[in-house]
Amino acid sequence: MEYDVIVVGAGPAGMMAAATAAQYGRRVLLLEHKDRPGRKLSITGKGRCNLTNHTGMEQIIAAFPRGGRFLFSAVSRFSPEDVMALFERLGVALKTERGNRVFPQSDRASDVVRALTQYVKDSGAVLLNRAHVHKLLLQNGQAQGVLCRTEQGEETFLAPRILLAGGGLSYPATGSDGSCYTLAKQAGHTLTPPVASLVPIVTKEDWPKQAQGLSLKNVALTVTDNQTGKRVFAKQGEMLFTHFGVSGPLVLSASVWMRPMEEGRYALSIDLKPALTPQQLDARLVRDFSDQPNRDFCNALDGLLPKKLIDPVVALSGIPPHEKVNAVTKAQRQRLGELLKALPLTAQKFRPIAEAIVTGGGVALSEVSPKTMESKLVKGLYFAGEILDVDGYTGGFHLQMAFSTGYAAGEAMGSWD
């Protein structure tokens, strides 16, 4: 069966590319090896789908510590405003929340998946589910087609332009199982080894288990590389304590900078009261302790800390739990203040790559045209989305990258003579 364009992977990048190329009048086949498109997209943003970040070009590029400059051309041609306009046109009403994060008003990722799937179909592209591509057909440095296992058996699909948009290794049950890495290798491409990115952190200390389920807002997280002594991350936002350590937006973003991950290499410091200077915090402690001087220390922090954090902080402070607060010395109080401004944790490892929101690593950017997403090694072969070696923060940036690179590839494949 012959087509003009074959897209492998019906995630956000693949669907955007397929619809864009088909609008040029091309015969487009979109192959998805799961039972339906957009499986991973449907669980993003805890099922709400943070589909872009309504911010400027500078901020978008800065949100990708690896690959930001490569994305400049693609994001210039399909910006956050373009993403928002498209989905509004497709009937998905949007809203912008704190941090410029854009969500569907319904808070349902399924609405985004449904709209994007319909967009593909309305464009004239053919969508084939349960189709697993296991080999690229190449000849004389030119893409020719793919070998594919479908419900009908082994099939060959031919096309002079092929896009690999099958994602990375995170959440493999959704179809992001690394199979497109194998296809990229078949074409001779260099792969930066895949690693977990935007991933929770397992800590050496086990006290976070006591605070399991506690979500903190407006705290500051700093990460220091103990080998170099350099601060690699510092930002304010939200984080979460878990049975294994820490997670949440701040922690996920910090993980992007913690490379290579080695046990004990990275020190985490949490400022529980970033709005207060050390002097202001000490004055607050003095006031709280003076109000009820005969209270036990372990019962005197409830106005300052969430309940789940009190026991860990008391233990770390070294102050006897049942010491009366009027007996707490100035030195002890100041050490407590230092602890609240820099609660320490040690990173032991990342959670498994299957639990990462995205995969770092992938196809080397030096081998891909940033304007068209076409391979510099094989004519007619393209890449888009998470398969590329780009790595950024949470906040809708990765989906923007997927839409922008998918659009760039779709435009190039559709307008090709």
Side-chain angles (χ1 to χ4, degrees), residues 9-13 15 30 32 34-44 49 109-110 112-114 116-117 127 129 174-175:
M15 286 196 278
L30 175 57
E32 168 56 46
K34 303 304 286 187
D35 60 345
R36 64 181 187 274
R39 295 262 317 243
K40 186 176 177 184
L41 184 59
S42 69
I43 64 171
T44 59
C49 191
S110 57
V112 175
V113 175
R114 193 178 303 113
L116 200 52
T117 304
L127 170 63
N129 295 319
T174 65

Side-chain angles (χ1 to χ4, degrees), residues 381-393:
L381 180 64
Y382 298 77
F383 302 95
E386 196 179 340
I387 191 173
L388 293 164
D389 183 17
V390 295
D391 207 353
Y393 298 148

Side-chain angles (χ1 to χ4, degrees), residues 175-370:
S176 200
D177 62 0
S179 54
C180 274
Y181 290 150
T182 304
L183 300 178
K185 284 183 187 175
Q186 286 178 14
H189 274 275
T190 305
L191 287 182
T192 302
V195 294
S197 188
L198 296 180
V199 63
I201 295 170
V202 178
T203 59
K204 179 181 176 183
E205 299 83 359
D206 60 6
W207 66 256
K209 191 182 298 184
Q210 294 176 260
Q212 180 178 346
L214 174 62
S215 179
L216 297 178
K217 295 183 178 181
N218 300 318
V219 296
L221 176 66
T222 301
V223 180
T224 302
D225 184 337
N226 289 327
Q227 279 192 16
T228 64
K230 291 183 179 178
R231 188 172 68 176
V232 297
F233 179 85
K235 206 168 182 181
Q236 194 166 323
E238 300 177 24
M239 63 175 293
L240 172 73
F241 291 102
T242 71
H243 66 284
F244 56 76
V246 287
S247 187
L250 267 183
V251 172
L252 300 180
S253 290
S255 71
V256 175
W257 292 92
M258 299 166 70
R259 306 277 177 77
M261 170 51 75
E262 298 165 351
E263 184 172 354
R265 177 163 180 171
Y266 297 98
L268 281 60
S269 175
I270 305 165
D271 185 345
L272 297 170
K273 300 293 175 182
L276 300 179
T277 65
Q279 294 75 21
Q280 289 171 328
L281 179 56
D282 188 56
R284 167 72 186 273
L285 289 169
V286 169
R287 186 170 68 249
D288 287 358
F289 289 179
S290 299
D291 286 345
Q292 295 176 295
N294 292 314
R295 290 190 82 183
D296 288 351
F297 173 59
C298 61
N299 297 324
L301 299 177
D302 51 359
L304 193 65
L305 294 174
K307 186 176 180 181
K308 285 187 174 183
L309 262 189
I310 292 176
D311 285 349
V313 167
V314 168
L316 290 167
S317 75
I319 301 172
H322 297 290
E323 181 87 85
K324 300 301 180 185
V325 290
N326 61 6
V328 172
T329 68
K330 180 180 179 181
Q332 286 176 318
R333 192 185 69 240
Q334 288 179 337
R335 282 199 299 272
L336 172 62
E338 290 168 3
L339 181 65
L340 297 176
K341 293 291 288 179
L343 192 63
L345 285 168
T346 308
Q348 186 176 61
K349 61 182 179 180
F350 289 145
R351 291 290 286 178
I353 196 169
E355 296 180 27
I357 291 179
V358 297
T359 307
V363 174
L365 301 183
S366 60
E367 299 172 355
V368 180
S369 163

Side-chain angles (χ1 to χ4, degrees), residues 94-216:
L94 304 176
K95 60 182 177 179
T96 302
E97 297 186 359
R98 186 171 40 81
N100 301 316
R101 297 173 301 162
V102 179
F103 294 89
Q105 282 186 16
S106 65
D107 284 329
R108 291 196 301 262
S110 57
D111 290 349
V112 175
V113 175
R114 193 178 303 113
L116 200 52
T117 304
Q118 194 60 48
Y119 181 49
V120 169
K121 293 177 180 177
D122 290 346
S123 72
V126 176
L127 170 63
L128 182 60
N129 295 319
R130 297 189 177 92
H132 180 72
V133 176
H134 61 90
K135 188 176 181 181
L136 288 176
L137 299 178
L138 309 170
Q139 188 172 6
N140 300 324
Q142 163 75 49
Q144 300 287 321
V146 298
L147 290 182
C148 186
R149 286 188 289 271
T150 71
E151 292 181 310
Q152 281 68 49
E154 185 83 0
E155 295 193 65
T156 300
F157 298 106
L158 302 178
R161 290 171 290 284
I162 298 168
L163 169 67
L164 299 184
L169 283 169
S170 55
Y171 294 104
T174 65
S176 200
D177 62 0
S179 54
C180 274
Y181 290 150
T182 304
L183 300 178
K185 284 183 187 175
Q186 286 178 14
H189 274 275
T190 305
L191 287 182
T192 302
V195 294
S197 188
L198 296 180
V199 63
I201 295 170
V202 178
T203 59
K204 179 181 176 183
E205 299 83 359
D206 60 6
W207 66 256
K209 191 182 298 184
Q210 294 176 260
Q212 180 178 346
L214 174 62
S215 179
L216 297 178

